[in-house]
Amino acid sequence: DNMSEVYEIFAFGSKIRGRTRKALRIQSSAIIVMLNLLQPLFALGVSFYWALCLSENVFLNVVLNILALEFVSGLDDQVVDKFIHLYYKNASISLMISDITYNMDDEKEFWLESNSSRAMVTLALKEDIPNEMRWDLLTSSSKGLGLLGKMEDGRTCVSSFELDIFVFGPNSSQGNEDIIEKGGIILTEITNTAWRHSLGPKQRGLFLKHYPGLAALKPWEGNMNISGAELWSWHEHFITYIVNNNPVTSLNASYNHFSDDAIILMCEKLKGNKKLQSLRLCGCLMTNG
């Protein structure tokens, strides 16, 4: 039922700790969805009003006005779809839910009544599953985390939780502060598919700059563009590890803060690499010495 889904979305937003802008946006979206669901009733009412007041042909006017309003509604959906396609094509949205506060001892009560376990639910959420199943794993008290569930005695399972939303894509404007602050958690959770196809060069460069050990374990392929990522000489070890252990054919590490020694060491380590075809180190801190 669509209206029950709207209620669930609104309830989900109400449990986000701190009444953040994200919570207000989620609840606002629920209200917009509800208004959109009520649109056919509104169209029917307006159509009958116009037909009765302005024309003798009641049935024809009702049909024409409903079709006109449904066309406008469909056009709105097409505009939204086109916007998403243009600006967020191949993008990936990552939701991070943490610090869940249960209304009871979750280990001694919640998970004892559950048909699953924390480990199994967490593992399933990391897999590529349908959104409906993912929503159940988040909200259900019998087979998920119980964010919107209730115990058998009627008690609400969860009182609040933290929510972070990250958008990864070539055209996304994910804030640097988010990646700097929580990039370590993101890198442990993001799938290799999302890393390969959703992240842009700037976002990968940020992860490599602030979390090089974790970023080096992700798959890198083809053109490794980390130009202008503000990397330093000590990043050399991670860069050469990535290039020598992945099918990287081109490395653009220009406009970073590499010393002469770091560049010499990098070239020495890459000298035996048969896959690398292009190496760019323009605008670094090289000297004539």
Side-chain angles (χ1 to χ4, degrees), residues 59 69 171 185 247:
F59 179 76
L69 288 171
N171 298 317
I185 299 176

Side-chain angles (χ1 to χ4, degrees), residues 14-15 41 119 189 200-201 254-255:
S14 68
K15 293 192 177 187
L41 294 176
E189 300 298 329
S254 302
Y255 303 104

Side-chain angles (χ1 to χ4, degrees), residues 28-227:
S28 298
S29 67
I31 294 173
I32 292 172
V33 171
M34 181 183 68
L35 294 175
N36 191 49
L37 291 174
L38 295 175
Q39 187 171 254
L41 294 176
F42 173 76
L44 183 62
V46 171
S47 296
F48 269 111
Y49 173 78
W50 287 345
L52 291 172
C53 294
L54 302 179
S55 173
E56 296 179 356
N57 194 339
V58 178
F59 179 76
L60 179 60
N61 275 272
V62 171
V63 173
L64 290 178
N65 283 295
I66 289 178
L67 290 176
L69 288 171
E70 287 187 349
F71 171 77
V72 173
S73 173
L75 185 61
D76 289 342
D77 293 337
Q78 292 180 33
V79 170
V80 172
D81 290 342
K82 190 64 176 178
F83 176 83
I84 294 174
H85 178 77
L86 287 175
Y87 290 95
Y88 292 101
K89 185 180 180 180
N90 298 325
S92 173
I93 300 176
S94 176
L95 274 70
M96 186 173 71
I97 295 174
S98 59
D99 197 16
I100 302 173
T101 301
Y102 287 88
N103 289 322
M104 71 285 297
D105 188 320
D106 57 313
E107 294 295 342
K108 295 181 179 179
E109 292 187 70
F110 177 79
W111 291 111
L112 283 179
E113 285 193 12
S114 173
N115 297 327
S116 187
S117 66
R118 187 196 303 272
M120 291 297 294
V121 173
T122 303
L123 183 63
L125 285 170
K126 293 181 180 180
E127 297 178 355
D128 187 13
I129 56 177
N131 288 334
E132 294 81 4
M133 186 181 297
R134 193 180 304 278
W135 182 252
D136 282 341
L137 289 172
L138 290 172
T139 59
S140 172
S141 58
S142 62
K143 54 185 176 182
L145 298 177
L147 299 184
L148 299 180
K150 291 185 177 181
M151 302 292 286
E152 292 182 357
D153 58 10
R155 286 179 297 165
T156 302
C157 299
V158 173
S159 60
S160 64
F161 54 85
E162 296 279 354
L163 175 69
D164 288 291
I165 301 175
F166 305 97
V167 180
F168 302 113
N171 298 317
S172 67
S173 56
Q174 184 68 46
N176 294 358
E177 297 80 8
D178 292 332
I179 293 179
I180 294 170
E181 182 182 357
K182 299 180 179 179
I185 299 176
I186 297 171
L187 282 174
T188 58
E189 300 298 329
I190 192 171
T191 64
N192 287 341
T193 300
W195 173 268
R196 284 190 179 100
H197 303 295
S198 298
L199 269 68
K202 291 184 178 179
Q203 289 178 328
R204 290 191 188 189
L206 267 177
F207 281 122
L208 183 59
K209 176 184 178 182
H210 296 284
Y211 300 92
L214 292 173
L217 298 177
K218 289 296 181 181
W220 297 74
E221 300 169 343
N223 178 27
M224 181 178 174
N225 184 2
I226 50 175
S227 175

Side-chain angles (χ1 to χ4, degrees), residues 229-246:
E230 298 184 356
L231 305 179
W232 295 86
S233 296
W234 59 271
H235 285 97
E236 168 274 322
H237 167 74
F238 300 100
I239 296 171
T240 53
Y241 174 86
I242 291 171
V243 175
N244 286 330
N245 289 277
N246 289 274

